[in-house]
């Protein structure tokens, strides 16, 4: 990752995760993401029941100041710094000076399940937003399961 902080082009406003229409976690970041300045990352607390879901629906609400021809997102899920999953999503064209909602479905990993006591605080998710090959925003989230 070349940057841990978002650039002015794209700003995450809100994020929500749900399973079978039940909201499991929601955050409103319209005032800005709550970075831990010592680590350059965002800490979030998610109910541990999310780990038992076969699918999780994720909605990201973002604003964009410039047109983007081909917005995509790459997320690397890491456990103790080691890559364990990679998720790639394509959004497409983004209108300048717009607020957008991006919904995705994330399927649970098929491998053996690791418990929340092992994962909590040891999982980070590095997210990079691209317009084609150009990085427009990135962040790192540290997940705590409660």
């Amino acid at each position: 990752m070349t940057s841990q902080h978002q650039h002015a082009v794209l700003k995450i406003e809100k994020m929500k995760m749900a399973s079978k229409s039940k909201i499991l976690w929601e955050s409103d970041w319209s005032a800005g993401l709550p970075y831990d300045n010592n680590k350059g990352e965002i800490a979030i607390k998610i109910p541990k029941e999310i780990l038992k879901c076969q699918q999780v629906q994720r909605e990201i609400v973002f604003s964009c100041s410039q047109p983007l021809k081909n917005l995509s997102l790459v997320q690397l899920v890491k456990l103790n710094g080691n890559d364990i999953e990679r998720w790639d999503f394509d959004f497409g064209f983004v209108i300048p000076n717009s607020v957008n909602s991006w919904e995705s479905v994330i399927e649970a990993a098929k491998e053996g399940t690791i418990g929340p006591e092992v994962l909590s605080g040891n999982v980070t998710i590095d997210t990079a937003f691209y317009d084609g090959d150009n990085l427009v925003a990135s962040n790192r989230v540290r997940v705590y399961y409660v």
Side-chain angles (χ1 to χ4, degrees), residues 48-138:
K48 58 187 170 189
E49 68 183 280
I50 201 167
L51 296 171
K52 296 179 181 174
C53 299
Q54 293 299 312
Q55 292 183 333
V56 174
Q57 295 84 32
R58 176 186 63 198
E59 179 185 23
I60 299 172
V61 176
F62 65 95
S63 58
C64 194
S65 61
Q66 299 176 11
L68 300 176
K69 292 180 181 177
N70 190 17
L71 180 64
S72 64
L73 132 76
V74 175
Q75 291 187 301
L76 293 175
V77 181
K78 298 180 179 199
L79 177 59
N80 295 318
N82 298 309
D83 293 356
I84 58 171
E85 284 188 88
R86 177 187 167 120
W87 302 323
D88 294 82
F89 300 95
D90 292 313
F91 185 85
F93 179 75
V94 179
I95 298 170
N97 301 310
S98 63
V99 176
N100 303 275
S101 177
W102 187 353
E103 295 183 23
S104 307
V105 175
I106 300 169
E107 300 279 339
K110 304 291 186 254
E111 299 86 34
T113 309
I114 303 171
E117 63 284 345
V118 172
L119 297 173
S120 189
N122 296 315
V123 169
T124 56
I125 302 172
D126 290 342
T127 303
F129 293 87
Y130 294 93
D131 183 14
D133 293 332
N134 299 319
L135 180 69
V136 293
S138 65

Side-chain angles (χ1 to χ4, degrees), residues 29-42:
W29 293 325
S30 55
L33 296 175
Y35 282 102
D36 176 337
N37 291 327
N38 296 324
K39 296 180 182 173
E41 61 188 31
I42 306 156

